[in-house]
Amino acid sequence: MKRISIDPVTRIEGHLKIELSIEGGKIQSARSSGTLFRGLEATLSGRDPRDAGRITQRVCGVCPAAHAVASALALDDAFQIKKEIPKNGRLIRNLILGSNFIHSDLLHFYHLSSLDYLNPGDLAGLKSADPDLQDLETYLGTSDGAPFVPEYSGDYRLGGEVSVDIARDYLAALEIRKKAHQMVAIFGGKMPHNMGTVAGGVTKPPDIDSITKFRSRLEEIKEFVEQRYLPGVLEIADVYGDYFEIGQGVPDFLAYGGFYQDDFSKSHQKTEKGILGGALSLGSEEVEELQLEKITEKVTHSWYTEAGNGHPTKSKSQPDPDKEEAYSWVKAPRYYERPHEVGPAARMLINFRRGNELVRKELKVALNKTGLSVKQLPSVMGRHMARAVECLSIVKMMEEWINELRPGEPSLTQYELPKSGSGLGLTSAPRGALGHWLRVKDGRIENYQLVVPTTWNASPRDGKGTPGPIEEALIGTRVEEPDSPIEAARIVRSFDPCMACAVH
C-alpha cells in the first residue's frame, strides 16, 4: 500500500495536510489534519463582550463578515435585544455579508480552483494576440521565465476557447472581487474586518449616496455572475462531467438560516427572502428542523483535552499537543452523533427541498443545462455549481434588500450592557454553517465557543472512528497517478477549506 502526504494543500486558506493510503489505484483511507493552533477562544475569555465582534473577525481575512454577523447575533441574544434590531440594521448586515459571499465565491472558483482544470500552458500560443493572457501566463509561470509547469501532470482537458474564456475571466474576477470589497466598505467602513456590524445593528445608517454607490457596483457584479461566472462553471462542468460522480462523501447535510430580516429566533430555521436552515439525509425528501442541543464536538483525534468534548455551551478548548491518538487541531463536530457536510451544496439541497422559490428557480435552470439531479450536488462539480447558483441567488436577494433601505430611519438600537447572560449566533457563511456560543459573567466573557464551517467539513475521525466529510469524500476515489493525485486535490478544493477558521 502506497502512503502519500500532501502537505500543505496549496490554493486554500491556511494549512491543511492530507494523508492518503492508496492501493490498486484507489484511495483506501484518508486523514485530514489541521496543523496549526491559534487559540482565539481563549483570547476572548475575560474580555468585554463587545470585543468579540472585532476579535472573531480575525479568525479569517477571507470570510470575516460572517463572523461579524454571528458574533453580533450572539451579543444581541445575550443582551436581550434581538427583537429590537431596526430593519435598516438587519438589511445592511445582510448586504455586508452578501458582498463578502460574492468576493469569497469568485476567489474560490477563479483564483483557487480553476487551475485544477485550466493549464495556463494552453495560452502560450495566444501571447502575441492578447497581452493580458501573456501577463497571466508569465505570472503563473516560473521566476526565470521558463514555461509554466502545471502543479499536476495530467488530466487537463479544456484547451482552446474554453481555456481562453476562463483565463480572461480569471483576470476580470480580480476587478469584480475588488468591487465586492468596496461594497462591504461602503456600509462597514473597511474590508477585511469591517467595523459596521455590531451588537444592536450597524453603525452606519443608509443615505442616498451610499445606496447609489452600492447599487451601481451590485449591477456590474450581477452582470459578471450571470454572464461569466455561472456559465464558466457550467462550461468546465460540461468537460469534466465525470466529476459529478467523484467526491461524494457523507450522506447527511446541515445548514443554518442566513440573511435574516424578521425577528431573530433561536430556531434559526426560517427567514423571509433569505437562506433556509435544516438537516437533510440524501435519501430523504424531507428537511428536518434543527435540534440545536444535538450539536456536539468530539476531540478523540484532536489535540485537545477532554474538556473540548460535548455541546459548545458546555465545552472549552484546552490544547493537548502531546495527545497520542490525535492527528489534527480541528475538532470533530457531529449532529445526532453523525458527520454532516456543510456549505453551498448542503444549503442548495436543503433550500431546494424546503421550497425556497428563488433557489429552486436558479438551480433548476443549471440542472436542466447539465441534465443532472439535485442529488448530484454533493460532488466535486456539484459543489462548484451549487456555489455559483447560490452566488447568483444572493445577488438577486441583495437587489431587493438595497431597495428596502430607508434613509433617515435608524440602523442601530441602544442597550445596556448586562452583567450576565448567554447568547447564540448562527448564520450562513460562504463555506457553510457558522455558530458562535457566548456566556457572560460579571460583565465579561466567561466562555466563547465557535463551531465553523471547515471544522465540520475537515474534521478528523470521531471516537467511533467515523471519518469527517472531506475524509469520506476521498475514500474510494480512483487515482490515475498515485504520486500526483490530482483527483484528491480537486476533491479537497471543492469544499473550499478555510483552515484558519477551522483551527481558530
Side-chain angles (χ1 to χ4, degrees):
M1 184 174 290
K2 187 177 187 63
R3 291 179 172 83
I4 68 166
S5 175
I6 307 173
D7 183 18
V9 177
T10 57
R11 285 188 277 114
I12 66 166
E13 205 294 323
H15 303 277
L16 172 65
K17 176 171 70 173
I18 296 293
E19 297 175 288
L20 304 173
S21 296
I22 302 173
E23 186 173 36
K26 183 181 290 188
I27 297 173
Q28 303 296 327
S29 66
R31 297 209 310 184
S32 167
S33 302
T35 60
L36 176 71
F37 173 69
R38 300 180 69 203
L40 285 176
E41 291 163 328
T43 300
L44 285 160
S45 181
R47 300 189 69 106
D48 187 307
R50 293 165 294 189
D51 290 346
R54 310 279 71 81
I55 293 173
T56 58
Q57 285 194 74
R58 271 67 187 177
V59 168
C60 178
V62 177
C63 50
H67 287 286
V69 169
S71 182
L73 293 173
L75 294 174
D76 292 344
D77 192 14
F79 299 169
Q80 298 183 16
I81 57 172
K82 62 184 180 182
K83 294 186 178 181
E84 301 172 20
I85 312 304
K87 184 174 182 179
N88 278 339
R90 297 182 189 279
L91 291 171
I92 291 174
R93 283 180 179 178
N94 290 349
L95 292 169
I96 289 173
L97 179 57
S99 301
N100 192 198
F101 261 77
I102 295 165
H103 175 273
S104 184
D105 291 342
L106 295 178
L107 166 66
H108 172 252
F109 179 68
Y110 287 107
H111 306 124
L112 300 180
S113 293
S114 68
L115 295 180
D116 282 341
Y117 310 96
L118 168 68
N119 179 358
D122 292 342
L123 309 176
L126 302 167
K127 284 183 178 181
S128 58
D130 194 326
D132 288 339
L133 296 182
Q134 179 180 0
D135 291 342
L136 176 62
E137 204 242 346
T138 300
Y139 170 71
L140 295 172
T142 57
S143 58
D144 60 2
F148 175 84
V149 178
E151 189 173 1
Y152 302 94
S153 59
D155 197 33
Y156 288 94
R157 311 176 194 172
L158 298 182
E161 294 183 2
V162 177
S163 290
V164 173
D165 289 344
I166 298 300
R168 286 179 174 147
D169 290 348
Y170 179 108
L171 296 170
L174 294 168
E175 182 68 20
I176 299 299
R177 283 175 53 200
K178 182 177 77 172
K179 292 182 184 299
H181 264 356
Q182 290 170 343
M183 293 197 309
V184 175
I186 286 169
F187 289 119
K190 68 185 185 73
M191 179 66 188
H193 313 319
N194 83 85
M195 303 300 292
T197 305
V198 296
V202 296
T203 58
K204 179 178 173 57
D207 54 54
I208 297 300
D209 184 55
S210 297
I211 292 172
T212 301
K213 289 178 178 177
F214 192 99
R215 184 185 285 118
S216 66
R217 289 166 173 80
L218 184 61
E219 289 173 354
E220 187 173 347
I221 287 173
K222 180 183 179 182
E223 180 180 357
F224 182 86
V225 172
E226 278 189 320
Q227 299 184 15
R228 301 174 76 171
Y229 173 32
L230 181 53
V233 171
L234 296 179
E235 261 191 311
I236 289 181
D238 183 56
V239 178
Y240 286 90
D242 52 321
Y243 273 80
F244 284 105
E245 306 297 332
I246 295 173
Q248 297 173 340
V250 299
D252 296 309
F253 306 89
L254 181 144
Y256 301 146
F259 301 103
Y260 305 105
Q261 293 177 77
D262 298 329
D263 289 345
F264 182 66
S265 66
K266 278 194 173 182
S267 69
H268 301 82
Q269 307 297 328
K270 298 177 181 178
T271 180
E272 182 184 354
K273 301 178 183 176
I275 297 295
L276 309 178
L280 176 70
S281 293
L282 197 58
S284 172
E285 298 290 322
E286 296 296 324
V287 177
E288 299 176 359
E289 299 290 337
L290 286 175
Q291 307 300 317
L292 301 181
E293 70 277 6
K294 298 300 182 180
I295 294 172
T296 57
E297 289 187 294
K298 313 295 184 182
V299 296
T300 304
H301 295 286
S302 307
W303 285 300
Y304 297 97
T305 68
E306 293 305 300
N309 270 321
H311 191 272
T313 58
K314 300 176 182 178
S315 64
K316 284 197 172 183
S317 302
Q318 299 172 342
D320 183 7
D322 298 320
K323 191 173 179 179
E324 290 186 3
E325 65 269 36
Y327 62 89
S328 181
W329 283 108
V330 181
K331 295 182 184 180
R334 297 293 185 261
Y335 180 66
Y336 275 100
E337 301 297 314
R338 301 194 302 274
H340 282 62
E341 179 177 333
V342 302
R347 280 195 296 262
M348 293 299 94
L349 269 171
I350 287 168
N351 277 260
F352 187 89
R353 294 291 188 218
R354 292 203 72 160
N356 184 319
E357 292 183 8
L358 178 57
V359 167
R360 286 181 68 89
K361 176 184 174 182
E362 300 300 337
L363 192 53
K364 281 182 176 179
V365 171
L367 290 172
N368 288 339
K369 288 181 178 179
T370 56
L372 297 170
S373 161
V374 69
K375 292 183 178 181
Q376 291 173 279
L377 289 179
S379 62
V380 172
M381 275 300 137
R383 294 184 189 102
H384 286 296
M385 189 174 77
R387 190 173 281 107
V389 168
E390 181 180 59
C391 185
L392 179 57
S393 300
I394 290 173
V395 166
K396 291 186 175 182
M397 293 177 195
M398 292 169 70
E399 287 184 311
E400 295 187 25
W401 298 331
I402 192 71
N403 290 331
E404 293 178 20
L405 291 175
R406 294 293 179 261
E409 295 183 9
S411 61
L412 185 67
T413 191
Q414 301 298 314
Y415 60 87
E416 295 291 331
L417 184 65
K419 289 294 184 181
S420 62
S422 60
L424 166 63
L426 303 184
T427 191
S428 292
R431 289 159 187 82
L434 172 64
H436 286 206
W437 283 260
L438 160 72
R439 189 164 66 246
V440 178
K441 183 179 180 181
D442 298 327
R444 296 283 162 173
I445 295 174
E446 183 180 31
N447 192 29
Y448 204 108
Q449 292 291 305
L450 301 88
V451 183
V452 310
T454 300
T455 312
W456 285 95
N457 287 334
S459 74
R461 283 163 170 73
D462 55 29
K464 299 176 181 178
T466 307
I470 288 178
E471 293 178 335
E472 184 64 37
L474 288 163
I475 295 170
T477 302
R478 297 204 66 83
V479 294
E480 293 297 323
E481 299 180 30
D483 291 323
S484 182
I486 189 171
E487 299 87 354
R490 286 170 173 163
I491 290 170
V492 173
R493 290 196 189 99
S494 74
F495 285 89
D496 192 14
C498 179
M499 298 311 297
C501 281
V503 300
H504 56 270

